């Protein structure tokens, strides 16, 4: 059973390593952030599995911190995109929002 869990950790790590390509290559900031999300959740899952295999609570704590930091990153990125998106829509005029204002009116 322990070897199966360790194999799962290796597969999680391998899938997480693929996210590095997305972070490095982009091409957009959204692609990079999606890669960072995959790194944090995959890394957290890998650490959680390793915590179970090794019996180390520190790995579990590190996994929780990693996933919580991902939540903070998500909120910060959403706030940045909201500010950037509103500024871009205002600069491009009504056609950028489909002719509707933010309240949903026309």
């Amino acid at each position: 059973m322990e070897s199966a869990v360790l194999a799962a950790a290796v597969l999680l790590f391998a899938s997480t390593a693929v996210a590095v390509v997305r972070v490095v290559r982009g091409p957009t900031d959204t692609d990079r952030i999606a890669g960072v999300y995959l790194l944090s959740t995959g890394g957290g899952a890998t650490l959680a599995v390793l915590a179970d295999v090794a019996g180390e609570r520190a790995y579990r704590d590190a996994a929780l911190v990693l996933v919580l930091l991902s939540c903070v990153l998500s909120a910060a990125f959403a706030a940045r995109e909201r500010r950037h998106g509103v500024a871009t829509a205002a600069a491009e005029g009504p056609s950028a929002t489909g002719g509707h204002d933010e309240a949903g009116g026309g």
Side-chain angles (χ1 to χ4, degrees):
M1 180 65 172
E2 191 170 298
S3 62
V5 173
L6 194 55
V10 169
L11 288 174
L12 280 169
F13 180 75
S15 69
T16 301
V18 172
V20 173
V21 174
R22 181 53 51 200
V23 171
V24 172
R25 291 191 60 194
T28 66
D29 287 343
T30 305
D31 291 323
R32 289 186 173 95
I33 291 297
V36 170
Y37 291 153
L38 181 57
L39 282 171
S40 64
T41 56
T46 303
L47 285 170
V49 169
L50 289 177
D52 186 49
V53 170
E56 288 286 330
R57 292 185 59 145
Y59 292 151
R60 188 172 296 132
D61 293 342
L64 288 172
V65 169
L66 189 61
V67 172
L68 287 173
L69 286 175
S70 176
C71 292
V72 171
L73 174 68
S74 176
F77 184 71
R80 177 185 171 270
E81 284 299 304
R82 173 167 272 174
R83 281 193 308 268
H84 184 267
V86 169
T88 302
E92 292 177 0
S95 64
T97 59
H100 300 290
D101 61 6
E102 286 189 18

